[in-house]
Amino acid sequence: MSSSLAIVIFLVGIFVVAIGLHEWGHFWTARRFGMRADRYFIGFGPTIWSTRYDEAEVGVKALPFGGFVRISGMSFGDDRLAPVSDHVLTPDDVAEDRRASASRMRIDVLETPAVPMETWRRVGEELARRGVPADTRTVIVDRARAAAGDHATVDEAREAIDTAAGAMLDDTGRVGDLRHRVLRGDEGRFFHDRPAWQRAIVLASGSFMHFVQAIVLLFVGFLLFGQAIPLPVVDEVLPDSPAEEAGLQTGDRIAAVEGVDVEDFETAREFIRGNAGEPLTFRVVRDGRTIDVIATPEASEVDGETVGLLGFVPEAEDRPLAPGDALYETFVGDTGVVTLSRETFLALGRVFGPDGLGQLFGQVTGEQERGIEGAASPIGLARAAGEGSAEFGPLFLLLILASINVFVGIFNLAPLPPLDGGHLAVLGIESVVNGVRRARGRVPDFKLDPRAIAAVAVPVIVVLGTVFLAVVWLDIVRPIQLP
């Protein structure tokens, strides 16, 4: 795979798929529970493209730095939509419609109908915004106009609209269905109107989608491209190592160790690890000739255990896995979701701990060298994806995309506003307090003060923004070098 193609796939995978599915998780679950989620966008800033999806506007914006879903009631001060008849036929709006009608017809305002044509047109537009199909809203408006007559009052027009809509729209009994949106508006549809467990699912669904993506990416990668299986062939001899001293060379194939035939690298590896400091005889095939090489594994400490190491890198071959093996590796393998999750927690501690932040800004000032284990921005990750995929193949790209999804999924659940985990923490606090109030016979209406939430959110945003800008700067001027 070429580096350029890998970078393009990486950027699409991050900015379209990962972000898009994260926000789709919030969008779908909110709508499923009857909340009014009326905007779903990938990106920020000016709108490039948008369309209507039921009652929602969905689209793409110019700046690919994230995405958002607007769920009514999550922001303090959101207005509730009234039923269509009440929303459209307000005294001020109808009066404005009558003035417009009078101007169009060149007559006195008092000579216009109490409910002019302009008002009926707005009824149709509002029905469209609520997601009513074109043919259905046309019938509703026509029936309502016919039932109300040319001399209907505003109240009679409202009643006619409700009657026509009630007859045309199916009653599923669900909050947020089409009939509910038209006849009852936002009654029961605000975020805080719904039970706490539904709100928690909506908040956590974005991170959940990241884990789903990681699982799919890993499973497809293992199924199609498999794992890099080490072969008993020397690919690289490390300098000043026992392998170099013994005379092993690139391309040597290990045929036997201590007279035991070697069919795979694992056999040779067990001999080497289990015989630290002991000379071993390796039968090696080199350029068609068979020779014996005597090498002594060097004792080294690995994960608290003393093992033998020779100091050479074996060749590896990608082998697709059977579905069962691919599933096992996806979840509990060395690069599975469980391992990636554990590494993510460790990485968060390294990067955002006092030592990690000190090292980061030491790298910015040039006082410290930048290692591969440090943080990286989308710029650095795209470069790494391109270089690594060109060197190691498509599986590397899928692994790095899966790793990023796991990282974002866990990081987003951190209990800090404005992250989803911060909203979950607020929900948890409010639920506990209201549970206590309910047990004591008091009204369970406690809500955290937005000013208290903002007092936490602002410094979090400052820290995250500063770290992000620092990492972007490093990825531009001092990019991470893959080994």
Side-chain angles (χ1 to χ4, degrees):
M1 174 180 288
S2 70
S3 176
S4 299
L5 177 60
I7 291 175
V8 171
I9 295 174
F10 174 84
L11 293 177
V12 171
I14 292 298
F15 293 118
V16 177
V17 179
I19 293 173
L21 288 180
H22 174 104
E23 299 302 337
W24 186 262
H26 295 311
F27 183 68
W28 186 85
T29 51
R31 286 170 50 82
R32 180 65 182 80
F33 292 135
M35 302 175 192
R36 175 158 64 92
D38 58 5
R39 298 196 81 196
Y40 164 81
F41 275 89
I42 299 174
F44 297 101
T47 299
I48 297 176
W49 168 85
S50 71
T51 187
R52 301 294 301 182
Y53 174 74
D54 202 11
E55 65 175 327
E57 182 185 12
V58 301
V60 179
K61 290 184 174 289
L63 305 177
F65 300 138
F68 68 93
V69 171
R70 186 174 69 185
I71 302 174
S72 297
M74 287 195 71
S75 299
F76 291 91
D78 284 351
D79 294 328
R80 288 183 184 269
L81 288 177
V84 168
S85 57
D86 293 336
H87 181 81
V88 175
L89 276 74
T90 63
D92 289 343
D93 289 340
V94 172
E96 180 62 32
D97 290 340
R98 294 187 70 188
R99 285 191 290 270
S101 179
S103 176
R104 175 174 56 81
M105 299 174 65
R106 297 182 180 180
I107 60 176
D108 189 86
V109 171
L110 296 178
E111 299 177 22
T112 62
V115 183
M117 187 63 188
E118 280 76 3
T119 301
W120 291 111
R121 176 181 54 77
R122 289 195 301 107
V123 171
E125 293 173 350
E126 186 59 29
L127 288 171
R129 278 192 289 270
R130 305 279 175 113
V132 180
D135 55 348
T136 304
R137 63 177 180 262
T138 299
V139 173
I140 291 174
V141 173
D142 290 346
R143 287 186 178 182
R145 285 187 62 199
D150 294 335
H151 305 290
T153 65
V154 169
D155 288 340
E156 289 171 339
R158 287 178 181 146
E159 183 178 354
I161 292 169
D162 290 344
T163 300
M168 286 296 298
L169 302 176
D170 293 334
D171 186 3
T172 67
R174 290 185 61 245
V175 172
D177 68 6
L178 190 55
R179 181 187 179 92
H180 185 285
R181 299 199 300 263
V182 171
L183 298 180
R184 300 173 67 180
D186 278 343
E187 179 184 330
R189 300 197 68 202
F190 262 30
F191 183 73
H192 287 283
D193 293 342
R194 310 309 301 155
W197 66 271
Q198 292 184 0
R199 286 178 276 157
I201 290 175
V202 171
L203 292 171
S205 59
S207 286
F208 174 77
M209 293 303 295
H210 284 294
F211 286 101
V212 171
Q213 291 177 79
I215 290 170
V216 172
L217 288 166
L218 290 171
F219 181 73
V220 170
F222 292 134
L223 194 65
L224 296 183
F225 307 108
Q227 286 181 306
I229 306 298
L231 305 175
V233 179
V234 178
D235 185 58
E236 178 185 357
V237 178
L238 303 180
D240 301 323
S241 65
E244 184 182 59
E245 293 177 4
L248 283 175
Q249 299 178 13
T250 298
D252 286 352
R253 182 187 182 284
I254 301 173
V257 182
E258 292 293 307
V260 177
D261 290 342
V262 171
E263 298 294 336
D264 51 49
F265 177 74
E266 189 62 29
T267 302
R269 180 176 179 270
E270 291 302 318
F271 268 102
I272 295 169
R273 288 175 62 90
N275 291 276
E278 300 291 332
L280 295 175
T281 300
F282 293 82
R283 180 163 297 168
V284 173
V285 178
R286 179 185 300 168
D287 297 329
R289 298 180 297 110
T290 301
I291 61 175
D292 287 340
V293 174
I294 298 177
T296 303
E298 182 179 45
S300 301
E301 193 81 12
V302 178
D303 295 332
E305 180 185 3
T306 300
V307 298
L309 296 178
L310 270 187
F312 72 88
V313 179
E315 285 187 6
E317 178 182 70
D318 290 338
R319 295 179 183 173
L321 301 181
D325 294 333
L327 197 63
Y328 175 86
E329 292 295 333
T330 294
F331 286 95
V332 296
D334 292 339
T335 52
V337 171
V338 173
T339 301
L340 292 177
S341 299
R342 182 176 63 250
E343 293 299 323
T344 293
F345 281 110
L346 296 175
L348 286 171
R350 285 197 307 269
V351 173
F352 291 100
D355 292 341
L357 292 176
Q359 290 176 4
L360 176 63
F361 292 107
Q363 293 167 7
V364 171
T365 60
E367 297 177 359
Q368 295 189 29
E369 293 295 326
R370 194 177 187 201
I372 192 173
E373 72 283 350
S377 73
I379 295 174
L381 291 170
R383 180 186 290 114
E387 295 177 356
S389 300
E391 177 72 20
F392 304 111
L395 183 60
F396 182 90
L397 177 60
L398 296 179
L399 289 175
I400 198 170
L401 285 171
S403 300
I404 292 171
N405 272 290
V406 170
F407 178 87
V408 174
I410 292 175
F411 178 73
N412 192 56
L413 291 177
L416 297 170
L419 303 175
D420 289 339
H423 291 295
L424 281 168
V426 170
L427 175 60
I429 293 171
E430 292 177 347
S431 297
V432 170
V433 173
N434 283 323
V436 174
R437 291 171 68 91
R438 191 178 294 106
R440 293 180 176 180
R442 300 175 62 185
V443 177
D445 58 356
F446 172 77
K447 291 184 179 180
L448 279 175
D449 191 327
R451 292 169 296 182
I453 300 172
V456 177
V458 170
V460 170
I461 292 172
V462 170
V463 171
L464 294 180
T466 303
V467 170
F468 178 77
L469 292 176
V471 175
V472 168
W473 170 259
L474 285 172
D475 282 335
I476 294 173
V477 300
R478 300 177 63 189
I480 294 175
Q481 301 298 322
L482 293 179

